[in-house]
């Protein structure tokens, strides 16, 4: 049953009126290429993507509770590699079994499930034709001592194709010492994925200790994540996954802390293209995705005390900014399956409500 607006308002609490009625005065929504049932025909059909890529993207858009809307709800589970299996699955050990991950995505009404070669490969013959698979082919690992942060390939694009995946996913740590190698590697892999007819989704993350200035972590700043997005669409990611911005002014902070000539900026980035409002901060990410021609899905973040409210809040900000959906993992799988399904459905309800419009 679809969540009612009054229920959403209750979850949002004091922020409800602001988040649901705010009108953006930065880049007008009329200039954005917004999600819709015809998104593949309206946007991707004019690109250099092949017919098989268009078919697989359409398959992704047509699946689950959001099928036919142009919005996406994706379940991502690669935390067993990115973090550790114990830390990821201890809250609910049943998700050590890959089948339960895929069942959560199906029963939760998701458009697709994104996970590792091992997880998807172990269940491919049973489920690849029942829900779109997104093979995440690179990961970090935290067993090496000392712990380092570098995305390396755990799988090949060909393995994604062989298991029947509709798309591949990858992470680049923009700003890290290894980022230039990662850009080249992922760009080549995305080219091969498109040749084989699969879509491409890029996790556009910032990572560098220097990005924390005076105790503020600017890895989630609108100006710098927006530029990471702009680099991501340059290597032909079909969908960008990005952390929702919580601050702004990363470039300015870096100039005051590390180097006075770090990066490039224009004051209009802060005075005209965005404001401090969370919807405008996220819209800045959208406009860096070629004005929305490449869809923005925001991450759901870690599991905490008020997961339902936080998930709904993130979805509302994404939708009203002009984004394409949410990719939420830990909030869903680090709890009983029934509760995880409720959170996934609540996220989807935001995108199904006609009353929640683009700001």
């Amino acid at each position: 049953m679809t969540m009612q607006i009054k229920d959403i308002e209750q979850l949002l609490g004091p922020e409800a009126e602001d988040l649901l009625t705010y009108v953006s005065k930065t880049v007008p929504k009329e200039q954005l290429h917004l999600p819709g049932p015809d998104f593949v025909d309206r946007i991707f059909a004019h690109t250099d993507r092949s017919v098989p890529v268009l078919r697989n993207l359409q398959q992704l858009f047509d699946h689950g509770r959001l099928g036919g809307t142009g919005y996406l709800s994706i379940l991502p589970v690669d935390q067993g590699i990115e973090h550790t299996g114990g830390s990821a699955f201890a809250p609910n050990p049943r998700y050590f079994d890959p089948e339960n991950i895929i069942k959560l995505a199906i029963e939760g009404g998701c458009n697709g499930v994104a996970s590792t070669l091992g997880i998807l490969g172990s269940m491919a013959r049973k489920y690849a034709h029942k829900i779109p698979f997104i093979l995440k082919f690179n990961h970090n690992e935290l067993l090496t001592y000392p712990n380092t942060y570098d995305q390396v390939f755990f799988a090949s694009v060909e393995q994604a194709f062989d298991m029947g995946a509709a798309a591949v996913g990858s992470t680049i740590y923009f700003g890290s010492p290894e980022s230039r190698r990662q850009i080249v590697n992922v760009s080549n892999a995305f080219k091969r994925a498109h040749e084989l007819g699969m879509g491409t989704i890029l996790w556009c993350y910032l990572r560098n200790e220097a990005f924390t200035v005076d105790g503020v972590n600017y890895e989630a700043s609108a100006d710098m994540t927006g530029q990471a997005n702009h680099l991501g669409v340059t290597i032909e990611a079909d969908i960008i996954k990005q952390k929702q911005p919580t601050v702004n002014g990363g470039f300015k902070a870096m100039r005051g802390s590390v180097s006075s000539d770090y990066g490039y900026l224009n004051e209009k980035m802060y005075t005209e293209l965005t404001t401090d409002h969370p919807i405008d901060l996220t819209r800045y990410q959208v406009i860096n995705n070629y004005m929305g021609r490449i869809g923005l899905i925001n991450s759901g973040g870690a599991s905490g005390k008020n997961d339902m409210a936080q998930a709904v809040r993130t979805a509302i900000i994404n939708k009203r900014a002009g984004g394409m959906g949410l990719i939420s993992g830990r909030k869903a799988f680090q709890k009983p399956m029934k509760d995880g399904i409720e959170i996934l459905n609540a996220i989807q309800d935001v995108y199904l409500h006609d009353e929640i419009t683009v700001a």
Side-chain angles (χ1 to χ4, degrees), residues 176-297:
S176 71
E178 303 82 15
S179 63
R180 293 193 173 192
R181 188 209 75 233
Q182 293 173 9
I183 290 169
V184 172
N185 290 349
V186 172
S187 179
N188 288 334
F190 277 8
K191 176 179 181 292
R192 182 59 177 151
H194 281 154
E195 289 172 348
L196 292 173
M198 293 177 288
T200 58
I201 303 177
L202 185 63
W203 280 238
C204 278
Y205 288 168
L206 297 178
R207 183 173 288 279
N208 196 308
E209 291 182 359
F211 293 160
T212 298
V213 180
D214 295 331
V216 178
N217 185 354
Y218 288 97
E219 290 180 353
S221 69
D223 54 351
M224 294 178 71
T225 55
Q227 180 59 21
N229 288 8
H230 204 62
L231 297 177
V233 297
T234 299
I235 62 173
E236 292 205 333
D238 298 321
I239 298 164
I240 294 290
K241 179 199 175 188
Q242 182 59 270
K243 296 177 181 179
Q244 201 162 78
T246 55
V247 295
N248 204 2
F251 282 122
K252 290 184 175 182
M254 288 292 289
R255 287 187 167 203
S257 170
V258 177
S259 173
S260 60
D261 60 353
Y262 175 79
Y264 280 87
L265 58 84
N266 186 303
E267 279 300 320
K268 290 185 177 181
M269 292 164 55
Y270 309 100
T271 60
E272 295 183 19
L273 297 184
T274 191
T275 70
D276 289 334
H277 195 282
I279 291 173
D280 287 338
L281 294 176
T282 302
R283 178 158 297 182
Y284 187 74
Q285 292 181 340
V286 173
I287 68 176
N288 273 279
N289 284 22
Y290 298 151
M291 285 291 193
R293 287 184 181 272
I294 302 300
L296 171 71
I297 54 176

Side-chain angles (χ1 to χ4, degrees), residues 74-91 95-96 101 104 113-117 119 136 138-143 149 151 154 171 173 203 205 241 243 299-303 327-334:
I74 296 172
L75 177 72
V77 185
D78 63 348
Q79 289 84 353
I81 306 301
E82 293 282 347
H83 305 155
T84 65
S87 69
F89 301 130
Y95 289 112
F96 272 110
I101 292 170
L104 174 61
V113 56
S115 197
T116 66
L117 173 65
I119 287 174
K136 180 76 164 41
N138 71 348
H139 308 283
N140 184 46
E141 59 84 23
L142 293 179
L143 201 56
Y149 294 86
Q151 291 286 323
F154 276 59
T171 297
Y173 285 151
W203 280 238
Y205 288 168
K241 179 199 175 188
K243 296 177 181 179
S299 58
S303 181
I327 183 164
S328 187
R330 283 171 286 174
K331 280 182 167 59
F333 73 76
Q334 289 186 333

Side-chain angles (χ1 to χ4, degrees), residues 56 58-66 72-77 98-115 119-120 123-135 160 163-167 344 348:
N56 273 320
Q58 191 68 58
Q59 178 191 7
L60 192 65
F61 281 112
D62 283 346
H63 196 82
R65 291 183 73 226
L66 296 183
L72 297 173
S73 168
I74 296 172
L75 177 72
V77 185
E99 185 167 17
N100 287 325
I101 292 170
I102 298 171
K103 282 183 177 179
L104 174 61
I106 292 173
E107 295 179 25
C110 294
N111 297 74
V113 56
S115 197
I119 287 174
L120 297 181
M123 288 282 110
R125 291 185 184 275
K126 187 171 183 179
Y127 290 106
H129 57 296
K130 297 178 181 177
I131 184 171
F133 276 14
I134 301 158
L135 174 62
M163 74 166 60
L344 292 172
Q348 295 151 9

Side-chain angles (χ1 to χ4, degrees), residues 15-36:
E15 286 189 294
E17 182 177 0
D18 180 44
L19 291 180
L20 292 171
T21 64
Y22 180 76
V23 178
S24 177
K25 294 181 174 60
T26 59
V27 175
K29 62 183 179 181
E30 290 78 14
Q31 293 184 16
L32 302 177
H33 301 279
L34 297 171

